[in-house]
Amino acid sequence: ALHTLEHMALGGIYDQLGGGFCRYSVDDEWMIPHFEKMLYDNGPLLALCADAWQACGNPLFSRVCEETAAWVMREMQSPDGGYYSTLDADSEGEEGRFYVWRPDEVKALLTAGEYAMIAQRYGLDRPANFEGLWHLHTRVDMATLAAAAGHDENAVRQIIDGARQKLFVARERRVRPGRDDKVLTSWNALMIKGMARAGRLLGRPQWVESAEQALAFIRGTLWRDGRLLATFRDGKAHLPAYLDDYANLLDALLELLQARWRSEDLQFALALADVLLTHFEDPADGGFFFTADDHERLIHRPKPLGDESVPAGNGVAAQVLQRLGWLLAEPRYLMAAERTLRIAWSHVTRMPHGHCALLVALQDLLDPCEILVLRGPAHRLAEWQQVLGAEYRPNRLVFAIPDGASLPDGLAGKESRGDGLIYRCVGTRCDAPVTAPEAVPTG
């Protein structure tokens, strides 16, 4: 997985100057993309690259996070906070025109030493790779460049980074691709999760703040009378929301609550979960329909189980309801998640690779995640959270809840005393609270 992700980040599917991943590659080498950038791809990829960085420490992944988050905040976030949907592949009537280069154009912007490095690094010294022009694709690694130039690797990296910045500034003066400025609830939720997770793991509070702004936009504009709307554009929010909107936003809230605790966000999550159970769940057979029970009547009311361009709503709903159920000791959520997995089981066994979201939820059911609830004064919680979140432990959720927070019954019993307590639960089993991170059981 790390090998694949690394080559995605080094290839032409990734914008080597401005950050962000394009939609897909059109060749076997992942050199030439379809140049459209989708919000729903980049949110999960941002979270994934943050996980990869924490797991292996490869600075490539932290750089990709930095650049992609910067692109999101620079080009994809509206002044009101919501995230836009896509950047087009075309500009001035030609696909990829904004992104491609001619070697003489690059040479005019750089010093001779910079050009020599950039040309080797990104293939400008090789034949054109896109309709007579050059799209940047990493050809030579830093170690090879450094050995050939007789420099140390850090020096070469600084030269490359300086040259990339010059090219980026020049590219910003070009005619930009068109942008689809719809704000879609489900896609925003995917990016809120990505920004919150990457911001937490890499210690970038500005990314968490970006996620908060998007959430505030959804709550203020797309949450009306206790129900979500699906889309916003040109001052108009409309269309009743779908399963994916509720499930992905609930998932994003759980991630944001780990980045920083706000009791009002937990209350919002509970409201979303209750709508899922009341209006989307199949009470007879289990699982969740794509549309609500009071939605416009359709010829068929689907119950999507397989992943497509985004994870299946039923898979996301099953996973997040389980985790919320364990956090709050709420059996309604746990039973709804298990019913979903039971109804989906025959589909999963026939084509497991097409149901990865449900498989993640199944893994959680069989091997429940570890939930740590930290209670105490804010300064103490910040220290503990840093220690407990430092390792790559994808099956651990950490919620730092400061003194004075208003909590529902399932959490209210985890009280703060003295300098603070750490509560550890795995599924429905909880250990006695401890007073220091090193005392948290590891089994």
Side-chain angles (χ1 to χ4, degrees):
L2 289 172
H3 175 82
T4 300
L5 189 60
E6 179 180 348
H7 284 271
M8 288 173 64
L10 293 172
I13 198 170
Y14 180 70
D15 182 352
Q16 298 296 331
L17 299 182
F21 289 86
C22 294
R23 192 174 185 185
Y24 54 82
S25 175
V26 299
D27 67 288
D28 291 343
E29 295 183 64
W30 298 357
M31 183 187 300
I32 304 302
H34 176 54
F35 288 89
E36 190 176 19
K37 290 182 183 177
M38 313 295 291
L39 192 71
Y40 67 67
D41 289 326
N42 282 281
L45 280 166
L46 179 56
L48 181 62
C49 287
D51 283 347
W53 174 80
Q54 190 183 43
C56 72
N58 186 341
L60 170 66
F61 297 126
S62 62
R63 175 173 69 81
V64 167
C65 287
E66 296 279 359
E67 293 170 355
T68 299
W71 163 70
V72 170
M73 296 168 68
R74 181 180 67 243
E75 300 184 37
M76 301 302 287
Q77 190 157 30
S78 75
D80 295 326
Y83 296 119
Y84 299 129
S85 294
T86 68
L87 287 185
D88 291 348
D90 299 355
S91 56
E92 300 182 85
E94 297 180 20
E95 181 174 348
R97 178 163 183 159
F98 180 76
Y99 300 98
V100 296
W101 298 88
R102 298 187 309 274
D104 59 342
E105 179 186 15
V106 176
K107 192 176 293 187
L109 294 168
L110 305 178
T111 67
E114 288 172 334
Y115 178 76
M117 292 288 186
I118 282 286
Q120 294 176 72
R121 174 74 168 163
Y122 294 117
L124 294 168
D125 58 348
R126 301 184 185 217
N129 60 1
F130 182 72
E131 300 177 1
L133 297 167
W134 280 256
H135 177 57
L136 303 185
H137 172 85
T138 306
R139 293 287 197 172
V140 179
D141 62 48
M142 290 291 187
T144 302
L145 279 176
H151 298 312
D152 67 60
E153 205 168 318
N154 285 333
V156 170
R157 184 171 285 105
Q158 289 177 6
I159 293 170
I160 293 289
D161 288 346
R164 288 171 62 242
Q165 181 60 27
K166 290 181 181 180
L167 296 181
F168 173 76
V169 170
R171 196 181 77 175
E172 286 291 281
R173 295 193 287 267
R174 296 177 176 177
V175 176
R176 305 191 63 79
R179 180 172 61 196
D180 183 345
D181 60 1
K182 288 194 304 295
V183 176
L184 299 174
T185 299
S186 62
W187 295 10
N188 267 249
L190 293 170
M191 184 55 74
I192 290 169
K193 179 179 179 179
M195 292 292 275
R197 187 171 187 84
R200 175 170 61 86
L201 295 184
L202 275 75
R204 300 293 187 272
Q206 65 271 30
W207 303 351
V208 178
E209 291 168 9
S210 170
E212 290 174 339
Q213 292 167 17
L215 177 64
F217 178 83
I218 290 174
R219 288 199 69 169
T221 308
L222 291 155
W223 176 249
R224 295 184 184 174
D225 302 322
R227 302 291 288 275
L228 281 173
L229 297 173
T231 182
F232 173 90
R233 189 181 188 190
D234 294 336
K236 181 182 180 183
H238 66 125
L239 301 181
Y242 306 96
L243 169 62
D244 288 9
D245 298 295
Y246 285 92
N248 286 325
L249 188 56
L250 188 52
D251 192 27
L253 281 164
L254 274 190
E255 191 64 59
L256 199 47
L257 284 167
Q258 292 182 79
R260 89 295 172 270
W261 183 269
R262 288 184 181 172
S263 294
E264 59 267 33
D265 286 349
L266 178 61
Q267 292 301 323
F268 188 28
L270 297 182
L272 295 173
D274 285 345
V275 174
L276 270 178
L277 296 184
T278 303
H279 295 287
F280 287 85
E281 190 183 16
D282 181 344
D285 296 323
F288 295 90
F289 293 108
F290 187 66
T291 56
D293 56 1
D294 53 359
H295 193 274
E296 174 190 0
R297 286 186 63 82
L298 305 173
I299 296 173
H300 172 61
R301 191 183 178 200
K303 190 187 293 182
L305 301 171
D307 302 320
E308 296 184 13
S309 56
V310 295
N314 269 282
V316 177
Q319 183 179 16
V320 74
L321 285 172
Q322 279 182 139
R323 295 185 166 197
L324 192 62
W326 289 322
L327 176 66
L328 302 177
E330 176 50 78
R332 290 187 304 134
Y333 301 159
L334 297 173
M335 290 188 291
E338 185 168 346
R339 286 194 296 268
T340 301
L341 290 168
R342 288 185 181 280
I343 193 65
W345 180 240
S346 62
H347 299 267
V348 173
T349 53
R350 282 199 300 270
M351 188 183 290
H353 58 277
H355 298 82
C356 288
L358 283 160
L359 284 173
V360 171
L362 177 62
Q363 181 179 1
D364 263 2
L365 176 69
L366 300 176
D367 183 16
C369 65
E370 176 189 42
I371 296 179
L372 302 181
V373 175
L374 285 48
R375 299 301 317 276
H379 71 277
R380 179 75 66 208
L381 299 188
E383 297 170 8
W384 287 351
Q385 195 168 25
Q386 187 170 10
V387 172
L388 292 166
E391 294 181 75
Y392 176 65
R393 297 178 69 101
N395 213 32
R396 168 181 283 180
L397 283 67
V398 181
F399 299 95
I401 307 176
D403 290 342
S406 174
L407 300 174
D409 291 342
L411 267 179
K414 293 180 172 62
E415 299 175 333
S416 172
R417 294 193 299 272
D419 287 335
L421 293 172
I422 301 172
Y423 295 84
R424 176 182 181 268
C425 297
V426 177
T428 57
R429 178 181 58 82
C430 294
D431 300 321
V434 298
T435 57
E438 57 269 22
V440 174
T442 57

